Amino acid sequence: MSEEFKAGNLRAEPGTKVQGYLNVHGSDMKMPATLIHGTRPGKTVVITGGIHGGEYPGIEASIRLAVQLKPEDVSGRLVIVHPVNTKAYFAKMQYFGPDDGKNLNRMFPGKATGTVSERIAWTISSELISQADFFMDLHGGDIHEALVPFVLYSLAGRPEVNRISEEASSLLGLKYVVGSVSTNGTFGSAAVAGVPGFLAEIGQCGLWSEEEVLAYLKGVRNVLKYLGLLPGGPEDLGSVVKLPKMIVSTSEQTACWYPAVRAGDRVAKGQKLGEMRDFFANRLGEYLASQDGTVLYVASSLAINEGDPIAAIG
Ligand SMILES: [Zn+2]
């Protein structure tokens, strides 16, 4: 592999690691990024942390991966963005970007001439994912989400893309491996474009711990072994529970949320997930499980806006 590795405005010669800022197309925003061009040929992998600004385990894991991985250890090429959404990060916002109020993970593949979130999505899609063989999107349970670690892989791609995505997801060491047909998020959009990958969730409620970051590093390294970027075959990091889909319940009111379940609970269809009340404690509505399954996350804030996710069942 003699060619230089180009990712947006950054370049890395074979056998080098280059750190710098990736320009977001048509905007003054820049994303801290690391290119690692291995000494041996292999696949090209894109890793993003901080698509959501308040999901710290994925952000810290991506920062550390960028420090730890060396070109001499790598067969292939890696670009790590750590984090993507610096404005949302410093605004300490959940879900949304401060400039346009949009959820970046609903904007893929993005628009070259859109709002800031659409331009970030477009830059990642067209300049990074378009040349990738695999894509890992590291999330962390948002600021107002209590969750159990899980990984989403896409069912929206070709069968071979979906198969690789599912196989790699099962090697992350996370208990719940969940299929998804969404196409406007990072990994779903990548799958539609022919690039296998996943979206992982470790952490919750705007917190992060050393254990969570180490779990991320172990899992991501295991997937890099599976993909052949790191030497040695992947290990079995524990048995997984495969869930065919995730259904997200959203609020119909802007009010106060009183959950009746916790992340990780098993629920039956029709079981009460929680209720909304107004400021006078009047009950506005009750929310029921739409399927049997496991509660993957539940909103932890008392304050909920209409349209906010309140719980997800896999
Ligand atoms: Zn997220």
Side-chain angles (χ1 to χ4, degrees), residues 23-29 111-113 119-120 122-123 126-127:
N23 298 326
V24 173
H25 179 85
S27 124
D28 61 356
M29 246 190 97
K111 283 185 198 152
T113 55
R119 286 171 193 247
I120 295 171
W122 191 86
T123 303
S126 67
E127 294 181 351

Side-chain angles (χ1 to χ4, degrees), residues 51-52 55 105 139-142 145 199 201:
I51 288 278
H52 291 136
E55 305 194 3
N105 201 34
H139 287 239
D142 220 317
E145 277 176 2
L199 183 161
E201 295 273 11

Side-chain angles (χ1 to χ4, degrees), residues 150-157 162-163 165-167 169-170 175-183 187-188 191 197-199 240-248 291 296 312-314:
F150 65 91
V151 51
L152 292 167
Y153 69 92
S154 182
L155 294 167
N162 301 347
R163 183 190 67 76
S165 301
E166 182 181 357
E167 210 164 274
S169 298
S170 305
K175 183 174 175 185
Y176 298 105
V177 176
V178 189
S180 165
V181 292
S182 148
T183 57
F187 66 109
F198 56 68
L199 183 161
V240 299
V241 176
K242 298 231 174 141
L243 303 172
K245 64 178 174 184
M246 179 172 86
I247 294 182
V248 178
Q291 64 174 354
L296 294 172
I313 298 171

